Amino acid sequence: MSSLGVNSYRFSISWARILPKGKLGDVNLDGINFYNKLIDGLLHKGIQPFVTLTHFDIPQELEEKYGGWLSPKSQEEFGYFAEICFKFFGDRVRYWATFNEPNCQVTMGYRTGEFPPSRCSSPLGNCTHGDSEREPFVAAHNIILAHAAAVQIYRTKYQKEQEGSIGIVLHAAWFEPISNSTPDKLAAERAQSFFLNWFLDPIIFGKYPAEMKEILGSSCQTFQAMTGKY
């Protein structure tokens, strides 16, 4: 990378490599040392590390203990993991992302079952467990609040001293109506809401898109307790 003139490198940390058993276990110092060497090696070559805290993976212990992202406990677990990373790596890392493309993660992990934990239901997928109509929204809600928890920890305890920034990486797509008719325009807006704004609106505005709330009704949760902390 250095010989090509690359000046930045984005990589993801394996949560299980740092905390194989989540909060209930010890920090795996071999994992810490691995990422320390990677970060130091990049900086030695003048390459700025851009660190994503998790890329679809979660410690198996947390999946087995309470269902991973289907449980609100995952929010606290992720915050704990994020803070360990800020403590060990934040003196050299200036650019953080909490999640990589969680809008793809929950759709393919809990709706179609193509990604772990491979949960889905007919006719959207062929899995041994899951509920394609409910679980993607439960997992997404917990991921959004986990993102908020990690951002809050960083901004209140580490950002001033470490002088870094933190955000999230979403899979972006754009939808155009096939015609200028009102039904087609509304369809494009619904598609955008259920793909990208599903995560962007809560992070920016503290609430889900109106189209989602209209379709999902009472199953569309709120963010009253977390508004203003993103």
Side-chain angles (χ1 to χ4, degrees):
M1 289 191 294
S2 178
S3 67
L4 293 171
V6 173
N7 61 12
S8 62
Y9 177 63
R10 179 180 167 225
F11 65 92
S12 302
I13 291 177
S14 170
W15 186 351
R17 203 173 203 168
I18 303 297
L19 289 169
K21 295 185 179 297
K23 288 182 64 177
L24 298 177
D26 297 327
V27 175
N28 177 24
L29 293 180
D30 287 339
I32 295 292
N33 291 336
F34 172 85
Y35 290 110
N36 273 330
K37 291 178 181 178
L38 174 58
I39 292 167
D40 290 344
L42 290 169
L43 292 172
H44 179 69
K45 291 292 187 178
I47 301 173
Q48 189 71 235
F50 282 64
V51 177
T52 302
L53 289 169
T54 184
H55 188 146
F56 298 178
D57 73 321
I58 190 170
Q60 184 65 25
E61 181 83 5
L62 306 186
E63 186 69 34
E64 294 176 355
K65 189 172 181 63
Y66 50 73
W69 291 116
L70 295 177
S71 170
K73 293 180 181 178
S74 58
Q75 302 168 28
E76 185 179 350
E77 289 279 356
F78 183 74
Y80 179 77
F81 161 64
E83 184 160 13
I84 287 173
C85 293
F86 301 149
K87 286 180 179 178
F88 279 100
F89 312 128
D91 60 326
R92 288 152 293 151
V93 174
R94 296 292 177 268
Y95 303 96
W96 298 95
T98 53
F99 291 86
N100 180 75
E101 299 182 343
N103 49 335
C104 291
Q105 178 182 358
V106 298
T107 300
M108 301 182 80
Y110 296 90
R111 188 167 176 81
T112 62
E114 298 167 80
F115 287 178
S118 299
R119 297 181 63 89
C120 64
S121 58
S122 180
L124 293 169
N126 182 23
C127 306
T128 56
H129 302 283
D131 183 345
S132 294
E133 298 297 339
R134 183 184 68 86
E135 290 185 353
F137 304 105
V138 174
H141 195 74
N142 287 320
I143 286 176
I144 292 166
L145 290 175
H147 161 79
V151 169
Q152 180 76 351
I153 290 169
Y154 186 71
R155 287 181 175 172
T156 58
K157 299 177 68 173
Y158 298 95
Q159 190 172 41
K160 184 177 180 180
E161 179 180 349
Q162 296 179 357
E163 300 181 332
S165 60
I166 188 168
I168 192 170
V169 176
L170 298 176
H171 184 80
W174 187 252
F175 300 89
E176 292 283 350
I178 198 169
S179 76
N180 286 324
S181 70
T182 297
D184 285 344
K185 289 180 179 179
L186 292 174
E189 291 176 8
R190 285 195 303 272
Q192 192 69 26
S193 291
F194 275 84
F195 187 81
L196 184 59
N197 296 349
W198 179 6
F199 283 79
L200 271 184
D201 276 22
I203 291 171
I204 296 172
F205 304 118
K207 58 184 179 181
Y208 286 116
E211 293 86 356
M212 291 189 72
K213 290 190 289 185
E214 181 180 349
I215 292 170
L216 297 176
S218 60
S219 62
C220 195
Q221 301 180 62
T222 63
F223 294 93
Q224 293 178 352
M226 298 299 294
T227 299
K229 293 188 178 181
Y230 302 107

